[in-house]
Amino acid sequence: MSTTTPTITQPAGGRTEPPRESRRTRAVLALARFEARELLRQIPVLFFFALFVLLVALRLMSNDGMDSYPVLNTVDRRTQTAPLLFALAMFVCTNAAVLRSRKHGTVQQFGVLPMEPWQRTLAHVLSVLPYAGLTALAVAGEFTREALKPGAIGHGSFGELAVGPLTVLLAGILGVLLARLLPSSFVPILFVIAVYVLGVLASGLIGFHHQWVGWLSPVIFSDSGGGAPVPSDLLGRPAGWHALYVAGLCAVLACAALLVAGGRTRAVKAATALALAATAAGVAGQLPHDTAGLAAARRTAGESPQKVQSCSEYEGSTYCSFPEWSGVRSDWAEVVGRVRSGAGGAAAEAPLTVRQRIYVSGDGIEDDGALEPATAPGQVTVGTRWGGNRVPEFAVGVASVLVGGSEDVVNEPMCDARAVTLMWLVLGSDPTPKATFRDVRLDDSISGSGVVLSPTNGLSLSGAQTAVIRELLERPRAGMTARVKAHWTELTSARTTTAQAAKLLGVPVPKEAEQCDDEE
């Protein structure tokens, strides 16, 4: 009888198998990375993202003088429209990515993966995140570039800046959900048309009796009439709540896609409840609050701006603006000093009050309307846009007060020496007088009759006055400035004709000047 010693087998050392849930999580992330790379190979995604970046770059490289003084509460809203085409490309391509297996007949092969169908859907949702992140980088880059300019005015809103990236994310998730609900390649086209129509109608409600329902559209294309910017506190835009609403909507649609794909786990159900709560909070936050107070604040800013403005003094003159524009007052003072340097008599030292004004129509703001000239003596109007052509237009307003005593002098027929004197103050010390003369005229010419723009009503110039002004610009500046100061009293009198002004200034008298004088 033989005895054998029993052998005790010990478990072999080595790696322990990771938990099952951990393996599935890593598989979901791996599939998400794969789908993100696949999206990057899609021509619509590449083309429209490149187009989006190009549009941003072109805006940043634009050479308009007003770009040196960007109003940041308009810059943040401007970032919302450029990503729309990219969002559309994401919608179409994510939809096609989910339907890829159905199209190629490989649905059964997914059975070998350690994932449920809802987890594959989650991977498709996660694949959109990098592209929303890229959009956020582009938006942040554009806004930061504008905000760092020395002349930047006011401040932006994170809620407004978040809309662009959230729109891309929403479009991608919507493409995934639609593929799960209606697996057909024709559905996205019909859906895009329907969403576009509904979106335009919803956004239009913003401008129609200020209906809050328009804010249920993810992107608010515009709630202004394209007029001048206004202080941020007068906008009345629930930007933060709107961003929360769009973010919640993204989460709701993502959870809906998971539920449709069979992901009825506790985590998904809890996430769905949280997403619905966030969306509901966003909707509630966008409801009108204190509309009467906002309307009153807008009327005050339009009709009695002195009640909400602060002022600074430079060289004896007072410069008043809304708080966000306080940094531009020194630029206004520089223009006033330059224009005043060509004036004579008491106007050379007369104190002025430069006041910023906005146009308010009823309860509306940012409407395209003209400001009436100020009737108070010595008061000059300045708008909320600055730089570029706004600078010589402001100079026209300053000169009209120095010549006529108040801005409303431009409402009178000025077929006399005052218009010539006024334009000499504007152009006599300008570094590029002929180019500025062309820019400040409505018809972009320096011949014949025309209208000269200003912050309020424009100044009408006759052909004779234009001819005299051109002659003045051909003469040495120092000598002409001395003549203007020496004959200041006559040149600022309504009784002095254009022909007499030409003689006083030593330039030829145009033939049409006599006709103008006869009409007077």
Side-chain angles (χ1 to χ4, degrees):
M1 179 178 179
S2 63
T3 59
T4 58
T5 304
T7 302
I8 301 175
T9 304
Q10 299 290 339
R15 294 181 303 172
T16 60
E17 285 293 324
R20 189 174 181 182
E21 289 302 321
S22 176
R23 293 201 309 270
R24 289 189 174 182
T25 300
R26 289 191 295 180
V28 169
L29 295 178
L31 181 58
R33 289 193 295 269
F34 170 79
E35 292 295 346
R37 289 194 299 269
E38 285 298 305
L39 286 174
L40 189 60
R41 297 175 182 176
Q42 302 302 311
I43 293 178
V45 171
L46 287 174
F47 176 78
F48 284 109
F49 183 73
L51 180 62
F52 165 51
V53 174
L54 178 62
L55 290 175
V56 172
L58 290 176
R59 280 204 298 244
L60 293 178
M61 292 187 298
S62 60
N63 204 19
D64 189 348
M66 287 185 291
D67 292 335
S68 300
Y69 298 85
V71 180
L72 298 183
N73 69 36
T74 63
V75 173
D76 56 12
R77 286 178 283 165
R78 188 181 68 188
T79 63
Q80 298 178 6
T81 54
L84 287 178
L85 289 177
F86 180 51
L88 179 61
M90 291 301 301
F91 169 72
V92 173
C93 290
T94 53
N95 184 271
V98 177
L99 296 177
R100 187 193 311 121
S101 58
R102 177 181 293 271
K103 178 181 178 181
H104 297 290
T106 59
V107 177
Q108 294 79 6
Q109 298 179 12
F110 281 109
V112 302
L113 296 178
M115 284 184 289
E116 299 293 333
W118 71 270
Q119 291 173 321
R120 296 199 300 271
T121 301
L122 176 60
H124 282 290
V125 170
L126 294 177
S127 70
V128 184
L129 291 176
Y131 299 96
L134 288 174
T135 306
L137 286 176
V139 167
E142 178 181 6
F143 183 81
T144 302
R145 171 69 182 273
E146 297 294 281
L148 292 179
K149 290 182 178 180
I153 298 168
H155 55 83
S157 166
F158 176 79
E160 301 283 9
L161 294 171
V163 170
L166 286 175
T167 302
V168 173
L169 180 61
L170 179 65
I173 294 173
L174 189 59
V176 174
L177 174 60
L178 197 62
R180 290 304 185 198
L181 290 174
L182 301 169
S184 172
S185 58
F186 295 100
V187 170
I189 299 175
L190 300 176
F191 190 81
V192 166
I193 296 173
V195 168
Y196 174 78
V197 173
L198 291 176
V200 170
L201 292 176
S203 296
L205 291 175
I206 286 289
F208 184 72
H209 301 305
H210 305 277
Q211 294 291 330
W212 69 272
V213 180
W215 285 94
L216 298 182
S217 170
V219 177
I220 308 300
F221 292 99
S222 176
D223 63 347
S224 72
V230 299
S232 300
D233 57 356
L234 300 181
L235 290 173
R237 290 174 62 93
W241 290 110
H242 184 66
L244 175 62
Y245 161 71
V246 180
L249 198 58
C250 290
V252 168
L253 295 181
C255 291
L258 299 182
L259 291 171
V260 169
R264 294 176 176 83
T265 65
R266 290 182 180 180
V268 173
K269 292 178 181 178
T272 303
L274 183 61
L276 288 172
T279 306
V283 171
Q286 294 178 109
L287 293 173
H289 299 287
D290 192 22
T291 54
L294 179 61
R298 290 173 174 177
R299 285 194 298 271
T300 299
E303 299 170 4
S304 305
Q306 67 275 9
K307 296 181 180 179
V308 291
Q309 290 182 343
S310 60
C311 302
S312 302
E313 285 198 11
Y314 297 92
E315 298 181 354
S317 292
T318 304
Y319 299 83
C320 302
S321 70
F322 297 103
E324 292 173 79
W325 278 263
S326 59
V328 195
R329 296 172 190 167
S330 58
D331 295 272
W332 300 342
E334 182 179 346
V335 175
V336 170
R338 178 174 60 79
V339 174
R340 193 201 297 273
S341 66
E349 298 181 357
L352 300 178
T353 299
V354 175
R355 185 169 301 283
Q356 191 174 49
R357 296 167 60 196
I358 61 174
Y359 178 80
V360 177
S361 175
D363 293 337
I365 55 170
E366 292 187 307
D367 293 325
D368 190 10
L371 295 170
E372 290 295 323
T375 57
Q379 180 173 319
V380 183
T381 296
V382 64
T384 52
R385 292 190 185 277
W386 187 249
N389 288 352
R390 301 295 88 81
V391 176
E393 289 173 14
F394 172 65
V396 173
V398 174
S400 66
V401 174
L402 293 177
V403 171
S406 64
E407 281 186 338
D408 62 349
V409 69
V410 298
N411 289 333
E412 307 172 9
M414 293 184 67
C415 194
D416 52 59
R418 292 177 297 171
V420 174
T421 308
L422 188 157
M423 290 308 301
W424 170 253
L425 293 183
V426 174
L427 303 172
S429 57
D430 190 275
T432 56
K434 289 185 178 180
T436 300
F437 191 23
R438 186 185 305 276
D439 292 340
V440 83
R441 281 173 57 114
L442 186 61
D443 59 357
D444 294 327
S445 72
I446 56 173
S447 62
S449 60
V451 175
V452 175
L453 300 174
S454 75
T456 58
N457 291 351
L459 167 69
S460 295
L461 289 180
S462 67
Q465 291 167 331
T466 302
V468 172
I469 294 166
R470 280 204 317 271
E471 289 292 339
L472 297 180
L473 298 179
E474 299 292 337
R475 306 303 171 92
R477 293 190 181 188
M480 194 55 62
T481 299
R483 280 179 174 270
V484 169
K485 291 184 176 182
H487 300 285
W488 181 258
T489 302
E490 298 96 318
L491 291 173
T492 56
S493 172
R495 298 179 180 178
T496 305
T497 65
T498 303
Q500 291 170 339
K503 294 176 182 178
L504 289 171
L505 296 172
V507 298
V509 179
K511 294 181 179 179
E512 54 266 41
E514 302 298 338
Q515 298 175 0
C516 177
D517 299 337
D518 291 341
E519 292 176 3
E520 289 187 298

